Amino acid sequence: GKYVFGDFVSGRLLAVDLPVKGQNSPKQLYDLGRFALSPVSFARGRDGEFFVVGFQKGRIYRLRGR
């Protein structure tokens, strides 16, 4: 139920709640942290795991909740 995105320059990853039908804007912004990876793409595995592709080292990282 969230849209995840990142800032290439700062390495910050963020998420917003997906809007409910009839709402124009998301309710909350979540700061997931700042990482030295320059995010360029995101993916979701079959089992629901979430991945981010980092440009700096050309690696794929798995995101985990705290």
Side-chain angles (χ1 to χ4, degrees):
K2 299 197 180 353
Y3 178 81
V4 179
F5 59 100
D7 179 64
F8 181 83
V9 176
S10 71
R12 176 166 267 126
L13 299 180
L14 303 129
V16 293
D17 291 321
L18 293 174
V20 178
K21 189 174 183 177
Q23 291 180 345
N24 292 331
S25 60
K27 293 285 183 189
Q28 187 169 353
L29 177 68
Y30 303 91
D31 187 347
L32 305 178
R34 182 177 277 169
F35 307 90
L37 54 86
S38 298
V40 292
S41 187
F42 298 90
R44 201 168 188 189
R46 290 183 189 175
D47 56 1
E49 285 188 303
F50 196 75
F51 300 90
V52 60
V53 178
F55 179 79
Q56 287 185 341
K57 296 183 180 177
R59 293 183 180 162
I60 299 172
Y61 300 90
R62 180 175 47 213
L63 296 180
R64 295 185 188 179
R66 292 181 185 185

